[in-house]
Amino acid sequence: MSLIKVVDLSKTYDNEGVKTEAVKKVSFNIEKGEFVSIMGPSGSGKSTLMHVLGLLDRPSGGKYFLDGENTSELTDNQLARLRNKKIGFVFQAFNLLPRTTVFENVELPLVYDQKANTNNSRRVMSALRSVGIENRANYFSNQLSGGEKQRVAIARALVNDPEVIFADEPTGNLDSKTGVQVMEILEGLNRHGHTIILVTHETITASYANRIIKILDGSLVSDRAVSEKKRQLAEQRKKIK
């Protein structure tokens, strides 16, 4: 059974009678443990697709199964619980709470977890260690560099041990060297069994994945394994370090 299965998935926005098809009858499967890039230019529909797959928005048509569950049959509250349990997010803008410590930012998803308990501290510190930033646990988010903020965001995505991590342009606000470090963290998480879905417009960043799904004007135009040539491009980028 696939972790993610979408069949003729569509998303249409209606703005005062003007309809815009952001995603048009897209179909694909993603298996547990894959590292997949969803790639396309600005306005292609890739971020809209991620929002639907991440249960942040509902599709207008088609079907979306997450770990075998038909998400269209769920209420908003059920979707919220499923999202908190099975999905972690890493965004380009980090989305950390200001004037809040690193520890508190990472702990936030556990606040909404009914099973969360006194083990929160252990889980938070384990997530911080996994991205190499446990020494910043008591720092405030505004005291961190961009790369450190993204590490915190990744730790927050990990703290609930989700089935899948969505990373939306995670290197977009970072310099090249720091971007490489963040991508290597995502690579390492994938090697340890985490499913990673990366949304990007950058060819080299996309090439860290094992598979690239290309979206153009809302439609799926290709779905291919990453070639050896593209892997070499990613390796060349690592040499920036």
Side-chain angles (χ1 to χ4, degrees), residues 108-122:
L108 188 61
L110 300 177
V111 174
Y112 302 101
D113 185 354
Q114 295 178 346
K115 295 182 180 179
N117 50 38
T118 54
N119 288 326
N120 280 9
S121 179
R122 178 183 57 79

PDB file of all heavy atoms in Angstrom, residues 108-122:
ATOM      1  N   LEU A 108       6.044  22.800  20.026  1.00  0.00           N
ATOM      2  CA  LEU A 108       4.700  23.237  19.674  1.00  0.00           C
ATOM      3  C   LEU A 108       3.795  22.127  19.126  1.00  0.00           C
ATOM      4  O   LEU A 108       2.637  22.011  19.563  1.00  0.00           O
ATOM      5  CB  LEU A 108       4.776  24.401  18.679  1.00  0.00           C
ATOM      6  CG  LEU A 108       3.446  25.089  18.360  1.00  0.00           C
ATOM      7  CD1 LEU A 108       2.843  25.696  19.625  1.00  0.00           C
ATOM      8  CD2 LEU A 108       3.657  26.171  17.308  1.00  0.00           C
ATOM      9  N   PRO A 109       4.241  21.279  18.159  1.00  0.00           N
ATOM     10  CA  PRO A 109       3.335  20.229  17.667  1.00  0.00           C
ATOM     11  C   PRO A 109       2.860  19.269  18.749  1.00  0.00           C
ATOM     12  O   PRO A 109       1.777  18.698  18.641  1.00  0.00           O
ATOM     13  CB  PRO A 109       4.186  19.494  16.618  1.00  0.00           C
ATOM     14  CG  PRO A 109       5.198  20.490  16.180  1.00  0.00           C
ATOM     15  CD  PRO A 109       5.516  21.286  17.419  1.00  0.00           C
ATOM     16  N   LEU A 110       3.661  19.104  19.803  1.00  0.00           N
ATOM     17  CA  LEU A 110       3.285  18.187  20.876  1.00  0.00           C
ATOM     18  C   LEU A 110       2.135  18.734  21.712  1.00  0.00           C
ATOM     19  O   LEU A 110       1.420  17.976  22.367  1.00  0.00           O
ATOM     20  CB  LEU A 110       4.489  17.906  21.779  1.00  0.00           C
ATOM     21  CG  LEU A 110       5.699  17.261  21.099  1.00  0.00           C
ATOM     22  CD1 LEU A 110       6.838  17.097  22.095  1.00  0.00           C
ATOM     23  CD2 LEU A 110       5.335  15.919  20.481  1.00  0.00           C
ATOM     24  N   VAL A 111       1.962  20.053  21.692  1.00  0.00           N
ATOM     25  CA  VAL A 111       0.864  20.667  22.434  1.00  0.00           C
ATOM     26  C   VAL A 111      -0.479  20.174  21.905  1.00  0.00           C
ATOM     27  O   VAL A 111      -1.451  20.040  22.651  1.00  0.00           O
ATOM     28  CB  VAL A 111       0.953  22.204  22.332  1.00  0.00           C
ATOM     29  CG1 VAL A 111      -0.263  22.860  22.980  1.00  0.00           C
ATOM     30  CG2 VAL A 111       2.238  22.704  22.987  1.00  0.00           C
ATOM     31  N   TYR A 112      -0.519  19.891  20.592  1.00  0.00           N
ATOM     32  CA  TYR A 112      -1.765  19.443  19.963  1.00  0.00           C
ATOM     33  C   TYR A 112      -1.873  17.925  19.906  1.00  0.00           C
ATOM     34  O   TYR A 112      -2.826  17.391  19.352  1.00  0.00           O
ATOM     35  CB  TYR A 112      -1.854  20.017  18.544  1.00  0.00           C
ATOM     36  CG  TYR A 112      -1.802  21.517  18.530  1.00  0.00           C
ATOM     37  CD1 TYR A 112      -0.629  22.184  18.198  1.00  0.00           C
ATOM     38  CD2 TYR A 112      -2.919  22.284  18.867  1.00  0.00           C
ATOM     39  CE1 TYR A 112      -0.558  23.574  18.200  1.00  0.00           C
ATOM     40  CE2 TYR A 112      -2.859  23.668  18.883  1.00  0.00           C
ATOM     41  CZ  TYR A 112      -1.689  24.303  18.539  1.00  0.00           C
ATOM     42  OH  TYR A 112      -1.621  25.674  18.550  1.00  0.00           O
ATOM     43  N   ASP A 113      -0.896  17.243  20.476  1.00  0.00           N
ATOM     44  CA  ASP A 113      -0.889  15.781  20.477  1.00  0.00           C
ATOM     45  C   ASP A 113      -1.499  15.289  21.785  1.00  0.00           C
ATOM     46  O   ASP A 113      -0.946  15.491  22.858  1.00  0.00           O
ATOM     47  CB  ASP A 113       0.549  15.272  20.328  1.00  0.00           C
ATOM     48  CG  ASP A 113       0.625  13.763  20.211  1.00  0.00           C
ATOM     49  OD1 ASP A 113      -0.415  13.085  20.347  1.00  0.00           O
ATOM     50  OD2 ASP A 113       1.735  13.253  19.978  1.00  0.00           O
ATOM     51  N   GLN A 114      -2.641  14.628  21.687  1.00  0.00           N
ATOM     52  CA  GLN A 114      -3.338  14.169  22.895  1.00  0.00           C
ATOM     53  C   GLN A 114      -2.516  13.158  23.690  1.00  0.00           C
ATOM     54  O   GLN A 114      -2.749  12.950  24.869  1.00  0.00           O
ATOM     55  CB  GLN A 114      -4.685  13.558  22.510  1.00  0.00           C
ATOM     56  CG  GLN A 114      -5.658  14.568  21.903  1.00  0.00           C
ATOM     57  CD  GLN A 114      -6.961  13.926  21.478  1.00  0.00           C
ATOM     58  OE1 GLN A 114      -7.080  12.710  21.393  1.00  0.00           O
ATOM     59  NE2 GLN A 114      -7.956  14.760  21.196  1.00  0.00           N
ATOM     60  N   LYS A 115      -1.556  12.519  23.018  1.00  0.00           N
ATOM     61  CA  LYS A 115      -0.736  11.525  23.695  1.00  0.00           C
ATOM     62  C   LYS A 115       0.538  12.128  24.278  1.00  0.00           C
ATOM     63  O   LYS A 115       1.323  11.436  24.908  1.00  0.00           O
ATOM     64  CB  LYS A 115      -0.369  10.398  22.731  1.00  0.00           C
ATOM     65  CG  LYS A 115      -1.584   9.593  22.264  1.00  0.00           C
ATOM     66  CD  LYS A 115      -1.157   8.459  21.341  1.00  0.00           C
ATOM     67  CE  LYS A 115      -2.366   7.656  20.876  1.00  0.00           C
ATOM     68  NZ  LYS A 115      -1.987   6.556  19.951  1.00  0.00           N
ATOM     69  N   ALA A 116       0.754  13.411  24.026  1.00  0.00           N
ATOM     70  CA  ALA A 116       1.952  14.052  24.553  1.00  0.00           C
ATOM     71  C   ALA A 116       1.918  14.063  26.078  1.00  0.00           C
ATOM     72  O   ALA A 116       0.869  14.208  26.688  1.00  0.00           O
ATOM     73  CB  ALA A 116       2.065  15.475  24.017  1.00  0.00           C
ATOM     74  N   ASN A 117       3.092  13.931  26.696  1.00  0.00           N
ATOM     75  CA  ASN A 117       3.140  13.854  28.159  1.00  0.00           C
ATOM     76  C   ASN A 117       4.489  14.357  28.651  1.00  0.00           C
ATOM     77  O   ASN A 117       5.120  15.186  27.998  1.00  0.00           O
ATOM     78  CB  ASN A 117       2.879  12.412  28.616  1.00  0.00           C
ATOM     79  CG  ASN A 117       3.780  11.419  27.864  1.00  0.00           C
ATOM     80  OD1 ASN A 117       4.936  11.720  27.602  1.00  0.00           O
ATOM     81  ND2 ASN A 117       3.244  10.259  27.542  1.00  0.00           N
ATOM     82  N   THR A 118       4.913  13.823  29.773  1.00  0.00           N
ATOM     83  CA  THR A 118       6.170  14.293  30.358  1.00  0.00           C
ATOM     84  C   THR A 118       7.376  13.896  29.519  1.00  0.00           C
ATOM     85  O   THR A 118       8.494  14.318  29.822  1.00  0.00           O
ATOM     86  CB  THR A 118       6.326  13.718  31.782  1.00  0.00           C
ATOM     87  OG1 THR A 118       6.190  12.298  31.729  1.00  0.00           O
ATOM     88  CG2 THR A 118       5.277  14.297  32.713  1.00  0.00           C
ATOM     89  N   ASN A 119       7.196  13.086  28.487  1.00  0.00           N
ATOM     90  CA  ASN A 119       8.298  12.727  27.601  1.00  0.00           C
ATOM     91  C   ASN A 119       8.587  13.820  26.584  1.00  0.00           C
ATOM     92  O   ASN A 119       9.477  13.660  25.744  1.00  0.00           O
ATOM     93  CB  ASN A 119       7.997  11.414  26.857  1.00  0.00           C
ATOM     94  CG  ASN A 119       8.074  10.215  27.782  1.00  0.00           C
ATOM     95  OD1 ASN A 119       8.885  10.191  28.696  1.00  0.00           O
ATOM     96  ND2 ASN A 119       7.242   9.215  27.529  1.00  0.00           N
ATOM     97  N   ASN A 120       7.820  14.906  26.636  1.00  0.00           N
ATOM     98  CA  ASN A 120       8.019  15.978  25.665  1.00  0.00           C
ATOM     99  C   ASN A 120       9.470  16.451  25.609  1.00  0.00           C
ATOM    100  O   ASN A 120      10.027  16.654  24.540  1.00  0.00           O
ATOM    101  CB  ASN A 120       7.114  17.168  25.991  1.00  0.00           C
ATOM    102  CG  ASN A 120       5.686  16.946  25.518  1.00  0.00           C
ATOM    103  OD1 ASN A 120       5.322  15.854  25.104  1.00  0.00           O
ATOM    104  ND2 ASN A 120       4.874  17.998  25.594  1.00  0.00           N
ATOM    105  N   SER A 121      10.061  16.660  26.779  1.00  0.00           N
ATOM    106  CA  SER A 121      11.425  17.173  26.828  1.00  0.00           C
ATOM    107  C   SER A 121      12.386  16.237  26.095  1.00  0.00           C
ATOM    108  O   SER A 121      13.239  16.689  25.316  1.00  0.00           O
ATOM    109  CB  SER A 121      11.867  17.364  28.269  1.00  0.00           C
ATOM    110  OG  SER A 121      13.189  17.846  28.318  1.00  0.00           O
ATOM    111  N   ARG A 122      12.231  14.951  26.338  1.00  0.00           N
ATOM    112  CA  ARG A 122      13.107  13.971  25.683  1.00  0.00           C
ATOM    113  C   ARG A 122      12.915  14.000  24.176  1.00  0.00           C
ATOM    114  O   ARG A 122      13.889  13.953  23.413  1.00  0.00           O
ATOM    115  CB  ARG A 122      12.814  12.570  26.225  1.00  0.00           C
ATOM    116  CG  ARG A 122      13.635  11.473  25.567  1.00  0.00           C
ATOM    117  CD  ARG A 122      13.242  10.094  26.091  1.00  0.00           C
ATOM    118  NE  ARG A 122      11.821   9.833  25.884  1.00  0.00           N
ATOM    119  CZ  ARG A 122      11.314   9.456  24.699  1.00  0.00           C
ATOM    120  NH1 ARG A 122      12.088   9.341  23.647  1.00  0.00           N
ATOM    121  NH2 ARG A 122      10.024   9.206  24.597  1.00  0.00           N
TER     122      ARG A 122
END
